[in-house]
Amino acid sequence: MNILCLEFVNSRWYVTHKLFADPLRNNDWLIKLADKWNLKSLPAPTEAELTKLIEMRSHFTKLFIKIAEGKNLIKSDIKLVNSYMVDVNFCRQLQVEEEDCKLYDIPKTLDWNWLMAEVAASFSRLYSSESINSLKICQNPECGWFFIDESKSRNKKWCDDTCANLMKVRRFRQKQKKND
């Protein structure tokens, strides 16, 4: 399941893995994220916009942790989410591409506030859907990736097979050590 707000919040993982750098500080990564979600033609963010993006990710990470722990959001949490959506103006436009029609929200001003509003809207759609009940945090202590458990039994513990295999190998080695 591809969800903008999860992809945005999970970008924190790269700070301590793979890239060992914050992708929000990488203009190429940010532009690719915006393009992937049809938020094309955004300029490189200013330092102030970058600070707001990083702050937003931190706030939304806390919200996702709260939800994954089975807690409800309180009024101040909802107010925070809404604060990212309040200052954007847009119009809707029907576009025909070959034989498909799609309705798009077109921002009056295309800037990073628009991306933040889209992340907040994505979060709002997820929070108001049944899928939110399947939000989990990967049980690999070195991962912490947020994911939606789409398994039939809803008992998935890891974000992907890599983490699952890694944790199984660790458990196996730990048992071997005890037996030696």
Side-chain angles (χ1 to χ4, degrees):
M1 182 176 277
N2 247 349
I3 302 173
L4 172 59
C5 60
L6 288 177
E7 186 169 352
F8 178 77
V9 169
N10 282 333
S11 70
R12 77 197 196 303
W13 180 86
Y14 293 101
V15 175
T16 57
H17 294 80
K18 240 181 207 177
L19 301 175
F20 296 101
D22 192 341
L24 294 184
R25 294 198 173 276
N26 179 325
N27 283 340
D28 290 337
W29 188 90
L30 274 172
I31 299 302
K32 284 179 187 172
L33 175 72
D35 284 350
K36 176 181 177 182
W37 295 96
N38 294 317
L39 306 167
K40 299 176 185 339
S41 304
L42 286 173
T46 65
E47 192 58 38
E49 289 169 326
L50 194 54
T51 300
K52 267 182 86 175
L53 286 164
I54 292 168
E55 184 180 276
M56 180 189 199
R57 182 180 60 193
S58 175
H59 289 311
F60 278 51
T61 298
K62 290 173 186 166
L63 296 178
F64 276 130
I65 290 170
K66 189 183 262 192
I67 294 165
E69 290 174 346
K71 298 175 184 168
N72 291 324
L73 298 185
I74 58 175
K75 284 183 183 181
S76 61
D77 297 329
I78 301 299
K79 188 175 180 179
L80 174 75
V81 172
N82 286 334
S83 73
Y84 287 102
M85 297 185 285
V86 74
D87 288 332
V88 294
N89 292 315
F90 65 93
C91 64
R92 292 197 170 92
Q93 192 175 78
L94 182 64
Q95 294 180 3
V96 179
E97 297 163 3
E98 295 177 23
E99 293 184 25
D100 291 337
C101 291
K102 289 191 176 185
L103 183 64
Y104 289 97
D105 295 338
I106 309 297
K108 301 274 183 173
T109 306
L110 190 60
D111 60 12
W112 290 98
N113 287 326
W114 177 250
L115 179 116
M116 288 185 269
E118 287 296 294
V119 170
S122 168
F123 176 90
S124 300
R125 282 189 292 278
L126 176 61
Y127 187 66
S128 60
S129 74
E130 285 297 315
S131 295
I132 198 64
N133 297 322
S134 302
L135 179 72
K136 303 244 179 116
I137 302 173
C138 182
Q139 295 301 301
N140 177 353
E142 294 173 10
C143 180
W145 197 270
F146 293 102
F147 66 98
I148 301 297
D149 182 358
E150 296 178 295
S151 67
K152 220 175 197 180
S153 59
R154 301 280 190 254
N155 63 353
K156 198 171 172 184
K157 295 180 182 179
W158 300 283
C159 61
D160 64 11
D161 290 340
T162 302
C163 279
N165 291 335
L166 180 67
M167 295 308 292
K168 288 173 186 175
V169 167
R170 284 183 183 162
R171 263 198 323 267
F172 175 78
R173 288 182 179 158
Q174 199 171 26
K175 285 180 184 177
Q176 292 298 87
K177 265 187 177 178
K178 284 181 182 178
N179 292 338
D180 289 343

